[in-house]
Short mmCIF file of all heavy atoms in Angstrom, two decimals:
data_model
loop_
_atom_site.label_atom_id
_atom_site.label_comp_id
_atom_site.label_asym_id
_atom_site.label_seq_id
_atom_site.Cartn_x
_atom_site.Cartn_y
_atom_site.Cartn_z
N LEU A 1 0.82 -1.12 -0.02
CA LEU A 1 0.00 0.02 -0.07
C LEU A 1 0.86 1.32 0.11
O LEU A 1 1.88 1.30 0.68
CB LEU A 1 -0.96 0.01 1.25
CG LEU A 1 -1.75 1.18 1.49
CD1 LEU A 1 -2.83 1.34 0.28
CD2 LEU A 1 -2.49 1.02 2.74
N CYS A 2 0.54 2.17 -0.79
CA CYS A 2 1.32 3.51 -0.78
C CYS A 2 0.53 4.59 -1.10
O CYS A 2 -0.62 4.45 -1.69
CB CYS A 2 2.64 3.29 -1.71
SG CYS A 2 2.12 3.01 -3.45
N GLY A 3 0.98 5.79 -0.94
CA GLY A 3 0.26 7.06 -1.34
C GLY A 3 1.27 8.10 -1.65
O GLY A 3 2.29 8.04 -1.05
N GLY A 4 1.02 9.00 -2.61
CA GLY A 4 1.90 9.94 -3.05
C GLY A 4 1.42 11.30 -2.98
O GLY A 4 0.14 11.37 -3.31
N VAL A 5 2.12 12.31 -2.68
CA VAL A 5 1.74 13.76 -2.71
C VAL A 5 2.73 14.55 -3.38
O VAL A 5 3.95 14.35 -3.11
CB VAL A 5 1.50 14.26 -1.15
CG1 VAL A 5 1.09 15.60 -1.22
CG2 VAL A 5 0.49 13.32 -0.45
N ALA A 6 2.30 15.44 -4.26
CA ALA A 6 3.19 16.32 -4.80
C ALA A 6 3.03 17.70 -4.32
O ALA A 6 1.80 18.18 -4.16
CB ALA A 6 2.95 16.33 -6.50
N ASN A 7 4.07 18.44 -3.96
CA ASN A 7 3.85 19.96 -3.64
C ASN A 7 4.75 20.70 -4.55
O ASN A 7 5.43 20.23 -5.42
CB ASN A 7 4.08 20.04 -2.18
CG ASN A 7 5.43 19.69 -1.72
OD1 ASN A 7 6.48 19.86 -2.31
ND2 ASN A 7 5.52 18.96 -0.60
N LYS A 8 4.99 21.97 -4.26
CA LYS A 8 5.90 22.87 -5.07
C LYS A 8 7.30 22.54 -4.86
O LYS A 8 7.97 22.91 -5.87
CB LYS A 8 5.66 24.30 -4.58
CG LYS A 8 4.27 24.96 -4.70
CD LYS A 8 4.26 26.32 -4.23
CE LYS A 8 2.84 26.85 -4.24
NZ LYS A 8 2.72 28.18 -3.78
N GLU A 9 7.67 21.71 -3.89
CA GLU A 9 9.10 21.45 -3.76
C GLU A 9 9.53 20.07 -4.12
O GLU A 9 10.70 19.86 -4.48
CB GLU A 9 9.50 21.73 -2.23
CG GLU A 9 9.21 23.21 -1.88
CD GLU A 9 9.45 23.46 -0.37
OE1 GLU A 9 9.81 22.46 0.35
OE2 GLU A 9 9.17 24.52 0.04
N GLU A 10 8.62 19.04 -3.93
CA GLU A 10 9.00 17.72 -4.11
C GLU A 10 7.85 16.74 -4.24
O GLU A 10 6.82 17.13 -3.90
CB GLU A 10 9.97 17.24 -3.13
CG GLU A 10 9.35 17.12 -1.62
CD GLU A 10 10.36 16.86 -0.62
OE1 GLU A 10 11.55 16.70 -0.90
OE2 GLU A 10 10.02 16.86 0.49
N PHE A 11 8.15 15.50 -4.59
CA PHE A 11 7.17 14.52 -4.68
C PHE A 11 7.49 13.57 -3.38
O PHE A 11 8.54 13.21 -3.20
CB PHE A 11 7.13 13.69 -5.94
CG PHE A 11 6.20 12.50 -5.92
CD1 PHE A 11 4.87 12.63 -6.11
CD2 PHE A 11 6.67 11.23 -5.67
CE1 PHE A 11 3.97 11.58 -6.09
CE2 PHE A 11 5.92 10.14 -5.65
CZ PHE A 11 4.54 10.23 -5.89
N GLN A 12 6.47 13.20 -2.57
CA GLN A 12 6.63 12.49 -1.36
C GLN A 12 5.84 11.19 -1.54
O GLN A 12 4.62 11.26 -1.91
CB GLN A 12 6.23 13.18 -0.10
CG GLN A 12 6.98 14.37 0.14
CD GLN A 12 6.45 15.21 1.35
OE1 GLN A 12 5.32 15.02 1.78
NE2 GLN A 12 7.29 16.02 1.90
N LEU A 13 6.48 10.10 -1.32
CA LEU A 13 5.82 8.75 -1.40
C LEU A 13 5.84 7.99 -0.11
O LEU A 13 6.92 7.87 0.48
CB LEU A 13 6.49 7.94 -2.49
CG LEU A 13 5.88 6.56 -2.80
CD1 LEU A 13 4.43 6.62 -3.43
CD2 LEU A 13 6.76 5.73 -3.73
N LEU A 14 4.77 7.58 0.48
CA LEU A 14 4.78 6.90 1.77
C LEU A 14 4.47 5.46 1.44
O LEU A 14 3.32 5.24 0.99
CB LEU A 14 3.78 7.48 2.77
CG LEU A 14 3.67 6.80 4.10
CD1 LEU A 14 5.01 7.00 4.86
CD2 LEU A 14 2.57 7.36 4.97
N LEU A 15 5.30 4.53 1.92
CA LEU A 15 4.95 3.09 1.69
C LEU A 15 4.74 2.47 3.02
O LEU A 15 5.50 2.68 4.01
CB LEU A 15 6.27 2.39 1.09
CG LEU A 15 6.69 2.98 -0.20
CD1 LEU A 15 8.01 2.42 -0.59
CD2 LEU A 15 5.70 2.61 -1.35
N THR A 16 3.77 1.61 3.16
CA THR A 16 3.54 0.84 4.36
C THR A 16 3.63 -0.69 3.97
O THR A 16 3.24 -1.06 2.83
CB THR A 16 2.19 1.11 4.92
OG1 THR A 16 1.15 0.82 4.03
CG2 THR A 16 2.15 2.52 5.49
N GLY A 17 4.10 -1.54 4.88
CA GLY A 17 4.17 -2.89 4.60
C GLY A 17 4.95 -3.64 5.81
O GLY A 17 4.98 -3.19 6.95
N GLU A 18 5.40 -4.82 5.38
CA GLU A 18 5.99 -5.67 6.50
C GLU A 18 7.33 -4.98 7.00
O GLU A 18 8.12 -4.46 6.11
CB GLU A 18 6.29 -6.98 5.85
CG GLU A 18 5.01 -7.97 5.68
CD GLU A 18 5.50 -9.28 5.17
OE1 GLU A 18 6.38 -9.93 5.79
OE2 GLU A 18 4.84 -9.74 4.26
N PHE A 19 7.57 -5.31 8.24
CA PHE A 19 8.85 -4.74 8.84
C PHE A 19 10.04 -5.47 8.16
O PHE A 19 9.97 -6.63 7.88
CB PHE A 19 8.93 -5.09 10.35
CG PHE A 19 7.96 -4.10 11.06
CD1 PHE A 19 6.69 -4.68 11.40
CD2 PHE A 19 8.35 -3.02 11.51
CE1 PHE A 19 5.76 -3.86 12.14
CE2 PHE A 19 7.39 -2.13 12.30
CZ PHE A 19 6.18 -2.65 12.51
N GLY A 20 11.09 -4.85 7.80
CA GLY A 20 12.21 -5.40 7.27
C GLY A 20 12.12 -5.49 5.70
O GLY A 20 13.19 -6.04 5.16
N SER A 21 11.05 -5.24 5.11
CA SER A 21 11.02 -5.37 3.66
C SER A 21 11.77 -4.39 2.97
O SER A 21 11.89 -3.26 3.34
CB SER A 21 9.48 -5.28 3.20
OG SER A 21 8.74 -6.25 3.70
N ASN A 22 12.34 -4.68 1.80
CA ASN A 22 13.16 -3.73 1.01
C ASN A 22 12.34 -3.36 -0.29
O ASN A 22 11.61 -4.17 -0.79
CB ASN A 22 14.47 -4.43 0.62
CG ASN A 22 15.32 -4.59 1.75
OD1 ASN A 22 15.56 -3.77 2.60
ND2 ASN A 22 15.98 -5.85 1.86
N TYR A 23 12.41 -2.18 -0.52
CA TYR A 23 11.66 -1.54 -1.79
C TYR A 23 12.56 -0.82 -2.67
O TYR A 23 13.52 -0.05 -2.21
CB TYR A 23 10.61 -0.66 -1.33
CG TYR A 23 9.64 -1.31 -0.43
CD1 TYR A 23 9.62 -0.90 1.07
CD2 TYR A 23 8.56 -2.15 -0.84
CE1 TYR A 23 8.73 -1.50 1.90
CE2 TYR A 23 7.72 -2.75 -0.04
CZ TYR A 23 7.71 -2.43 1.43
OH TYR A 23 6.92 -2.90 2.18
N ILE A 24 12.45 -0.95 -3.99
CA ILE A 24 13.21 -0.17 -4.92
C ILE A 24 12.23 0.79 -5.54
O ILE A 24 11.30 0.38 -6.14
CB ILE A 24 13.92 -1.13 -5.94
CG1 ILE A 24 14.85 -2.05 -5.35
CG2 ILE A 24 14.62 -0.19 -7.05
CD1 ILE A 24 15.31 -3.09 -6.30
N ILE A 25 12.51 2.10 -5.45
CA ILE A 25 11.80 3.15 -6.07
C ILE A 25 12.34 3.31 -7.46
O ILE A 25 13.53 3.68 -7.62
CB ILE A 25 11.75 4.44 -5.25
CG1 ILE A 25 11.45 4.15 -3.85
CG2 ILE A 25 10.82 5.48 -5.91
CD1 ILE A 25 10.18 3.54 -3.60
N GLU A 26 11.55 3.27 -8.50
CA GLU A 26 11.93 3.54 -9.86
C GLU A 26 11.05 4.49 -10.55
O GLU A 26 9.82 4.77 -10.14
CB GLU A 26 11.83 2.27 -10.71
CG GLU A 26 12.77 1.08 -10.31
CD GLU A 26 12.59 -0.09 -11.04
OE1 GLU A 26 11.59 -0.40 -11.58
OE2 GLU A 26 13.66 -0.96 -10.96
N ALA A 27 11.60 5.22 -11.53
CA ALA A 27 10.83 6.36 -12.30
C ALA A 27 11.06 6.24 -13.65
O ALA A 27 12.10 5.77 -14.18
CB ALA A 27 11.16 7.71 -11.63
N THR A 28 10.02 6.72 -14.46
CA THR A 28 10.17 6.93 -15.94
C THR A 28 9.46 8.30 -16.16
O THR A 28 8.55 8.71 -15.53
CB THR A 28 9.62 5.73 -16.64
OG1 THR A 28 9.92 5.93 -18.08
CG2 THR A 28 8.12 5.65 -16.51
N THR A 29 9.82 8.84 -17.35
CA THR A 29 9.11 10.00 -17.80
C THR A 29 8.10 9.80 -18.90
O THR A 29 7.29 10.69 -19.23
CB THR A 29 10.13 11.17 -18.29
OG1 THR A 29 10.92 10.50 -19.34
CG2 THR A 29 10.94 11.62 -17.10
N SER A 30 8.11 8.58 -19.49
CA SER A 30 7.12 8.21 -20.47
C SER A 30 6.97 6.74 -20.53
O SER A 30 7.79 6.04 -20.15
CB SER A 30 7.47 8.79 -21.85
OG SER A 30 8.68 8.21 -22.27
N PHE A 31 5.84 6.26 -21.08
CA PHE A 31 5.50 4.93 -21.27
C PHE A 31 5.70 4.66 -22.80
O PHE A 31 5.27 5.44 -23.62
CB PHE A 31 4.17 4.62 -20.80
CG PHE A 31 3.96 4.64 -19.41
CD1 PHE A 31 3.11 5.66 -18.74
CD2 PHE A 31 4.47 3.77 -18.48
CE1 PHE A 31 2.98 5.81 -17.40
CE2 PHE A 31 4.31 3.76 -17.10
CZ PHE A 31 3.51 4.78 -16.63
N ALA A 32 6.48 3.46 -23.12
CA ALA A 32 6.62 3.07 -24.33
C ALA A 32 5.38 2.39 -24.87
O ALA A 32 4.66 1.66 -24.11
CB ALA A 32 7.81 2.18 -24.42
N THR A 33 5.14 2.46 -26.19
CA THR A 33 4.03 1.68 -26.80
C THR A 33 4.66 0.32 -27.29
O THR A 33 5.73 0.25 -27.99
CB THR A 33 3.55 2.48 -28.10
OG1 THR A 33 3.14 3.72 -27.72
CG2 THR A 33 2.46 1.67 -28.76
N PRO A 34 3.99 -0.81 -26.79
CA PRO A 34 4.51 -2.09 -27.21
C PRO A 34 4.70 -2.17 -28.78
O PRO A 34 3.90 -1.60 -29.52
CB PRO A 34 3.45 -2.98 -26.72
CG PRO A 34 2.79 -2.30 -25.67
CD PRO A 34 2.75 -0.83 -25.97
N PRO A 35 5.73 -2.84 -29.15
CA PRO A 35 6.65 -3.79 -28.50
C PRO A 35 7.69 -3.28 -27.87
O PRO A 35 8.58 -3.85 -27.26
CB PRO A 35 7.12 -4.75 -29.65
CG PRO A 35 7.16 -3.80 -30.85
CD PRO A 35 5.88 -2.93 -30.69
N ALA A 36 7.88 -1.83 -27.98
CA ALA A 36 9.00 -1.26 -27.17
C ALA A 36 8.85 -1.39 -25.71
O ALA A 36 7.75 -1.68 -25.20
CB ALA A 36 9.01 0.29 -27.53
N VAL A 37 9.85 -1.25 -24.89
CA VAL A 37 9.88 -1.47 -23.49
C VAL A 37 10.14 -0.11 -22.79
O VAL A 37 10.94 0.58 -23.14
CB VAL A 37 10.96 -2.55 -23.11
CG1 VAL A 37 10.99 -2.57 -21.66
CG2 VAL A 37 10.81 -3.84 -23.80
N THR A 38 9.28 0.08 -21.69
CA THR A 38 9.49 1.28 -20.98
C THR A 38 10.75 1.16 -20.14
O THR A 38 10.96 0.14 -19.46
CB THR A 38 8.35 1.54 -19.95
OG1 THR A 38 7.13 1.70 -20.82
CG2 THR A 38 8.48 2.80 -19.07
N VAL A 39 11.54 2.29 -20.14
CA VAL A 39 12.78 2.19 -19.35
C VAL A 39 12.50 2.84 -18.00
O VAL A 39 12.13 3.95 -17.84
CB VAL A 39 13.89 2.87 -19.99
CG1 VAL A 39 15.12 2.97 -19.20
CG2 VAL A 39 14.19 2.27 -21.37
N TRP A 40 12.79 1.93 -16.91
CA TRP A 40 12.65 2.53 -15.56
C TRP A 40 14.04 2.61 -14.93
O TRP A 40 14.90 1.94 -15.09
CB TRP A 40 11.86 1.51 -14.67
CG TRP A 40 10.44 1.38 -15.11
CD1 TRP A 40 9.90 0.45 -15.97
CD2 TRP A 40 9.35 2.15 -14.70
NE1 TRP A 40 8.57 0.70 -16.21
CE2 TRP A 40 8.19 1.69 -15.28
CE3 TRP A 40 9.14 3.14 -13.69
CZ2 TRP A 40 6.92 2.21 -15.04
CZ3 TRP A 40 7.89 3.79 -13.47
CH2 TRP A 40 6.89 3.22 -14.25
N THR A 41 14.13 3.83 -14.40
CA THR A 41 15.39 4.23 -13.68
C THR A 41 15.30 4.11 -12.12
O THR A 41 14.50 4.65 -11.53
CB THR A 41 15.73 5.68 -14.00
OG1 THR A 41 15.78 5.78 -15.36
CG2 THR A 41 17.15 6.05 -13.35
N PRO A 42 16.21 3.35 -11.63
CA PRO A 42 16.14 3.14 -10.02
C PRO A 42 16.48 4.53 -9.40
O PRO A 42 17.64 5.03 -9.89
CB PRO A 42 17.19 2.00 -9.76
CG PRO A 42 17.65 1.45 -11.13
CD PRO A 42 17.24 2.41 -12.20
N LEU A 43 15.75 4.91 -8.40
CA LEU A 43 16.09 6.08 -7.70
C LEU A 43 16.64 5.94 -6.35
O LEU A 43 17.43 6.60 -5.78
CB LEU A 43 14.92 7.04 -7.61
CG LEU A 43 14.23 7.44 -8.95
CD1 LEU A 43 13.01 8.14 -8.71
CD2 LEU A 43 15.17 8.18 -9.80
N ALA A 44 16.09 4.90 -5.67
CA ALA A 44 16.53 4.64 -4.30
C ALA A 44 16.12 3.16 -3.83
O ALA A 44 15.18 2.55 -4.49
CB ALA A 44 15.84 5.53 -3.39
N THR A 45 16.83 2.70 -2.84
CA THR A 45 16.52 1.43 -2.25
C THR A 45 16.08 1.68 -0.80
O THR A 45 17.05 2.32 -0.13
CB THR A 45 17.54 0.38 -2.35
OG1 THR A 45 17.80 0.09 -3.80
CG2 THR A 45 17.20 -0.98 -1.70
N LEU A 46 14.94 1.39 -0.29
CA LEU A 46 14.51 1.68 1.07
C LEU A 46 14.28 0.38 1.83
O LEU A 46 13.81 -0.64 1.29
CB LEU A 46 13.25 2.51 1.07
CG LEU A 46 13.31 3.69 0.18
CD1 LEU A 46 11.93 4.32 0.07
CD2 LEU A 46 14.38 4.80 0.78
N THR A 47 14.56 0.41 3.06
CA THR A 47 14.20 -0.72 4.02
C THR A 47 13.12 -0.16 4.98
O THR A 47 13.31 0.81 5.66
CB THR A 47 15.45 -1.13 4.76
OG1 THR A 47 16.50 -1.60 3.86
CG2 THR A 47 15.16 -2.32 5.72
N ASN A 48 12.11 -0.99 5.09
CA ASN A 48 10.99 -0.55 5.96
C ASN A 48 11.33 -1.10 7.43
O ASN A 48 11.16 -2.18 7.76
CB ASN A 48 9.69 -1.27 5.39
CG ASN A 48 8.59 -0.79 6.24
OD1 ASN A 48 8.62 -0.17 7.23
ND2 ASN A 48 7.36 -1.31 5.78
N SER A 49 11.95 -0.26 8.17
CA SER A 49 12.37 -0.51 9.59
C SER A 49 11.18 -0.20 10.62
O SER A 49 11.33 -0.67 11.63
CB SER A 49 13.57 0.29 9.89
OG SER A 49 14.62 -0.02 9.00
N PHE A 50 10.18 0.49 10.22
CA PHE A 50 9.16 1.01 11.29
C PHE A 50 7.71 0.69 10.83
O PHE A 50 6.86 1.24 11.42
CB PHE A 50 9.38 2.39 11.54
CG PHE A 50 10.72 2.77 12.05
CD1 PHE A 50 11.77 3.37 11.20
CD2 PHE A 50 11.14 2.45 13.40
CE1 PHE A 50 12.95 3.62 11.64
CE2 PHE A 50 12.30 2.77 13.84
CZ PHE A 50 13.37 3.38 12.99
N GLY A 51 7.52 -0.14 9.77
CA GLY A 51 6.11 -0.29 9.31
C GLY A 51 5.71 0.62 8.21
O GLY A 51 4.79 0.39 7.41
N ALA A 52 6.41 1.74 8.07
CA ALA A 52 6.18 2.79 6.99
C ALA A 52 7.49 3.40 6.65
O ALA A 52 8.40 3.72 7.54
CB ALA A 52 5.14 3.73 7.41
N VAL A 53 7.77 3.73 5.38
CA VAL A 53 8.91 4.42 5.05
C VAL A 53 8.62 5.45 3.94
O VAL A 53 7.64 5.23 3.14
CB VAL A 53 9.99 3.36 4.40
CG1 VAL A 53 9.52 2.62 3.21
CG2 VAL A 53 11.28 4.00 4.21
N GLN A 54 9.32 6.55 3.99
CA GLN A 54 9.01 7.62 3.09
C GLN A 54 10.02 7.86 2.13
O GLN A 54 11.28 7.85 2.41
CB GLN A 54 8.76 8.96 3.93
CG GLN A 54 8.38 10.17 3.09
CD GLN A 54 7.99 11.38 3.83
OE1 GLN A 54 7.31 11.16 4.83
NE2 GLN A 54 8.55 12.50 3.62
N PHE A 55 9.87 8.22 0.92
CA PHE A 55 10.69 8.48 -0.13
C PHE A 55 10.30 9.97 -0.68
O PHE A 55 9.18 10.21 -0.97
CB PHE A 55 10.52 7.47 -1.33
CG PHE A 55 11.35 8.02 -2.51
CD1 PHE A 55 12.66 8.02 -2.68
CD2 PHE A 55 10.53 8.53 -3.64
CE1 PHE A 55 13.45 8.44 -3.74
CE2 PHE A 55 11.17 9.04 -4.80
CZ PHE A 55 12.65 8.88 -4.88
N ASN A 56 11.30 10.82 -0.74
CA ASN A 56 11.21 12.18 -1.21
C ASN A 56 11.92 12.34 -2.61
O ASN A 56 13.17 11.94 -2.65
CB ASN A 56 11.67 13.23 -0.23
CG ASN A 56 10.88 13.22 0.98
OD1 ASN A 56 9.73 12.79 1.03
ND2 ASN A 56 11.39 13.57 2.22
N ASP A 57 11.40 12.86 -3.49
CA ASP A 57 12.07 13.12 -4.79
C ASP A 57 12.06 14.66 -5.17
O ASP A 57 11.03 15.17 -5.59
CB ASP A 57 11.31 12.43 -5.96
CG ASP A 57 12.09 12.66 -7.31
OD1 ASP A 57 13.18 13.30 -7.33
OD2 ASP A 57 11.54 12.19 -8.29
N PRO A 58 13.12 15.36 -4.64
CA PRO A 58 13.16 16.77 -4.90
C PRO A 58 13.37 17.20 -6.32
O PRO A 58 13.25 18.35 -6.74
CB PRO A 58 14.39 17.24 -4.05
CG PRO A 58 15.26 15.98 -3.93
CD PRO A 58 14.32 14.85 -3.99
N PHE A 59 13.76 16.27 -7.24
CA PHE A 59 13.94 16.57 -8.62
C PHE A 59 12.70 16.36 -9.45
O PHE A 59 12.74 16.62 -10.66
CB PHE A 59 14.99 15.62 -9.17
CG PHE A 59 16.38 15.80 -8.37
CD1 PHE A 59 16.78 14.77 -7.57
CD2 PHE A 59 17.12 16.91 -8.48
CE1 PHE A 59 17.99 14.85 -6.92
CE2 PHE A 59 18.33 17.09 -7.75
CZ PHE A 59 18.67 15.99 -6.98
N SER A 60 11.61 16.13 -8.90
CA SER A 60 10.29 15.94 -9.59
C SER A 60 9.88 17.22 -10.19
O SER A 60 9.12 17.22 -11.23
CB SER A 60 9.22 15.19 -8.79
OG SER A 60 8.88 16.08 -7.75
N THR A 61 10.18 18.30 -9.61
CA THR A 61 9.69 19.58 -10.07
C THR A 61 10.48 20.01 -11.37
O THR A 61 10.06 20.92 -12.00
CB THR A 61 9.81 20.70 -8.92
OG1 THR A 61 11.22 20.73 -8.49
CG2 THR A 61 8.93 20.39 -7.69
N ASN A 62 11.56 19.34 -11.65
CA ASN A 62 12.22 19.75 -12.91
C ASN A 62 11.71 19.08 -14.13
O ASN A 62 12.21 19.38 -15.19
CB ASN A 62 13.71 19.26 -12.72
CG ASN A 62 14.38 19.94 -11.53
OD1 ASN A 62 13.94 20.91 -11.09
ND2 ASN A 62 15.57 19.32 -11.12
N ARG A 63 10.65 18.33 -13.94
CA ARG A 63 10.04 17.63 -15.04
C ARG A 63 8.52 17.93 -15.27
O ARG A 63 7.85 18.28 -14.32
CB ARG A 63 10.18 16.12 -14.85
CG ARG A 63 11.65 15.70 -14.93
CD ARG A 63 11.76 14.21 -14.38
NE ARG A 63 13.13 13.74 -14.56
CZ ARG A 63 14.17 14.03 -13.85
NH1 ARG A 63 13.96 14.87 -12.76
NH2 ARG A 63 15.38 13.60 -13.93
N THR A 64 8.04 17.92 -16.47
CA THR A 64 6.59 18.09 -16.72
C THR A 64 5.83 16.89 -16.25
O THR A 64 4.62 17.09 -15.90
CB THR A 64 6.34 18.47 -18.11
OG1 THR A 64 6.86 17.36 -18.91
CG2 THR A 64 7.03 19.65 -18.63
N GLN A 65 6.32 15.71 -16.29
CA GLN A 65 5.59 14.47 -15.82
C GLN A 65 6.70 13.42 -15.39
O GLN A 65 7.74 13.40 -16.02
CB GLN A 65 4.72 14.01 -16.76
CG GLN A 65 5.33 13.45 -18.03
CD GLN A 65 4.30 12.93 -19.01
OE1 GLN A 65 3.04 13.22 -18.89
NE2 GLN A 65 4.62 12.13 -20.00
N ARG A 66 6.35 12.67 -14.35
CA ARG A 66 7.27 11.56 -14.02
C ARG A 66 6.32 10.50 -13.26
O ARG A 66 5.46 10.88 -12.60
CB ARG A 66 8.22 12.04 -12.98
CG ARG A 66 9.37 11.13 -12.71
CD ARG A 66 10.52 11.77 -11.98
NE ARG A 66 11.72 11.08 -12.16
CZ ARG A 66 12.82 11.30 -11.44
NH1 ARG A 66 12.82 12.25 -10.57
NH2 ARG A 66 13.89 10.61 -11.69
N PHE A 67 6.54 9.26 -13.69
CA PHE A 67 5.80 8.15 -13.16
C PHE A 67 6.70 7.34 -12.24
O PHE A 67 7.80 7.09 -12.54
CB PHE A 67 5.24 7.37 -14.29
CG PHE A 67 4.45 8.13 -15.23
CD1 PHE A 67 5.01 8.69 -16.42
CD2 PHE A 67 3.07 8.36 -14.99
CE1 PHE A 67 4.26 9.33 -17.34
CE2 PHE A 67 2.34 9.06 -15.94
CZ PHE A 67 2.95 9.52 -17.05
N TYR A 68 6.11 6.81 -11.21
CA TYR A 68 6.83 6.03 -10.18
C TYR A 68 6.30 4.64 -10.05
O TYR A 68 5.14 4.36 -10.29
CB TYR A 68 6.76 6.67 -8.83
CG TYR A 68 7.42 8.08 -8.82
CD1 TYR A 68 6.64 9.10 -9.07
CD2 TYR A 68 8.78 8.24 -8.42
CE1 TYR A 68 7.18 10.39 -9.12
CE2 TYR A 68 9.29 9.49 -8.38
CZ TYR A 68 8.51 10.69 -8.76
OH TYR A 68 9.08 11.74 -8.73
N ARG A 69 7.04 3.66 -9.69
CA ARG A 69 6.74 2.37 -9.37
C ARG A 69 7.58 1.89 -8.20
O ARG A 69 8.71 2.35 -8.07
CB ARG A 69 6.69 1.42 -10.52
CG ARG A 69 8.02 0.94 -10.97
CD ARG A 69 7.79 -0.13 -12.09
NE ARG A 69 9.10 -0.69 -12.49
CZ ARG A 69 9.30 -1.50 -13.47
NH1 ARG A 69 8.21 -1.96 -14.07
NH2 ARG A 69 10.38 -1.97 -13.89
N VAL A 70 7.03 0.92 -7.51
CA VAL A 70 7.88 0.24 -6.41
C VAL A 70 7.94 -1.12 -6.65
O VAL A 70 6.95 -1.81 -6.93
CB VAL A 70 7.14 0.60 -5.01
CG1 VAL A 70 7.96 -0.08 -3.89
CG2 VAL A 70 6.90 2.05 -4.74
N VAL A 71 9.17 -1.64 -6.66
CA VAL A 71 9.43 -3.15 -6.77
C VAL A 71 10.14 -3.68 -5.55
O VAL A 71 10.80 -2.88 -4.93
CB VAL A 71 10.13 -3.41 -8.18
CG1 VAL A 71 9.33 -2.91 -9.28
CG2 VAL A 71 11.43 -2.73 -8.08
N THR A 72 9.93 -5.01 -5.40
CA THR A 72 10.82 -5.62 -4.38
C THR A 72 11.85 -6.44 -5.07
O THR A 72 11.62 -7.12 -6.04
CB THR A 72 9.83 -6.53 -3.40
OG1 THR A 72 9.14 -7.47 -4.19
CG2 THR A 72 8.90 -5.66 -2.76
N PRO A 73 13.08 -6.53 -4.39
CA PRO A 73 14.09 -7.28 -5.01
C PRO A 73 13.90 -8.71 -4.89
O PRO A 73 13.07 -9.23 -4.26
CB PRO A 73 15.33 -6.89 -4.20
CG PRO A 73 14.81 -6.08 -3.02
CD PRO A 73 13.50 -5.80 -3.24
#
């Protein structure tokens, strides 16, 4: 489960889940039309030490659009 909020300064993503779980935050600026493949760039690897973990992207305001996904290793 996660939720994201954008403000004038950054994008904030809050992830909740199992204690000790690891998450990789990835981003892309566009989706490819099949058969092309969307390129996802890893931004951070987070460990959920308290039941919830927050990711902040201060560079999101430099783009007109940015899409995020969370994957587990």
Side-chain angles (χ1 to χ4, degrees):
L1 176 65
C2 62
V5 176
N7 60 39
K8 294 178 186 178
E9 299 172 3
E10 64 188 1
F11 175 79
Q12 298 175 341
L13 181 67
L14 181 65
L15 304 167
T16 59
E18 289 186 46
F19 291 96
S21 294
N22 293 314
Y23 303 104
I24 300 170
I25 312 297
E26 298 179 335
T28 188
T29 55
S30 63
F31 293 107
T33 303
V37 176
T38 299
V39 176
W40 291 92
T41 303
L43 302 178
T45 300
L46 307 173
T47 300
N48 185 355
S49 300
F50 301 102
V53 63
Q54 182 171 314
F55 168 75
N56 297 333
D57 183 4
F59 302 109
S60 65
T61 57
N62 298 341
R63 294 169 173 77
T64 55
Q65 64 183 14
R66 195 170 201 186
F67 304 96
Y68 297 88
R69 74 178 182 181
V70 179
V71 296
T72 56

